[in-house]
Amino acid sequence: MKTETDDLTLKELNQHYGTFYYYPFGLGNTKITDGVAYIVGNGYHWFVSDLDVISLMKPKIKNESFLVFKLKVNEDKTATATITDGNKKTLYTQKYEYTNAKVKELTLYKQNNIIMLAQEY
């Protein structure tokens, strides 16, 4: 649900380099950085939480120490989210039939249970 404060274009995304605080997130011991907290709070919680749960539950993924979460939004408002091992080996793919996401691509890293923006790595 879109609210008055949602920023689906993520206008301030490039302002996040590094983090001041690690926020508890979702299941297990996962934490997120300031930049990921910004995207989660602006309409992309579904993307981060879906891939985090998958990374914690899928046997072939949960023991990986480094993962790349990628969202690609198509012109027809469908989307694909993938988890790779950082060496372009796809470990999981999730298709979405509809999204209101305004960004075309979004990349996050998960290392040692911390999810961060690529520029926060």
Side-chain angles (χ1 to χ4, degrees):
M1 174 200 287
K2 185 168 176 15
T3 66
E4 292 295 320
T5 60
D6 283 347
D7 174 16
L8 294 173
T9 59
L10 301 177
K11 293 180 288 237
E12 298 176 14
L13 188 63
N14 291 331
Q15 295 179 15
H16 295 279
Y17 292 92
T19 195
F20 291 104
Y21 185 75
Y22 295 105
Y23 304 85
F25 183 78
L27 301 173
N29 296 322
T30 302
K31 298 197 180 341
I32 59 175
T33 60
D34 292 331
V36 177
Y38 168 73
I39 67 168
V40 164
N42 282 288
Y44 293 86
H45 190 281
W46 59 274
F47 164 61
V48 180
S49 61
D50 277 5
L51 294 188
D52 183 42
V53 168
I54 291 161
S55 74
L56 293 169
M57 304 304 278
K58 292 282 184 184
K60 72 177 187 178
I61 300 174
K62 70 180 184 179
N63 293 323
E64 295 283 335
S65 61
F66 182 83
L67 297 168
V68 177
F69 297 171
K70 190 167 274 204
L71 175 67
K72 185 175 187 303
V73 178
N74 303 308
E75 293 296 323
D76 64 358
K77 298 193 180 231
T78 61
T80 304
T82 58
I83 299 175
T84 67
D85 66 355
N87 291 318
K88 299 184 182 181
K89 179 181 176 191
T90 301
L91 303 172
Y92 184 83
T93 301
Q94 174 74 42
K95 303 260 185 203
Y96 296 95
E97 292 185 25
Y98 174 80
T99 180
N100 62 347
K102 302 289 187 218
V103 296
K104 297 296 180 202
E105 285 192 22
L106 189 58
T107 301
L108 305 176
Y109 295 159
K110 182 175 182 183
Q111 183 174 26
N112 300 322
N113 289 324
I114 297 174
I115 302 173
M116 65 197 85
L117 300 174
Q119 67 256 31
E120 291 177 314
Y121 182 70

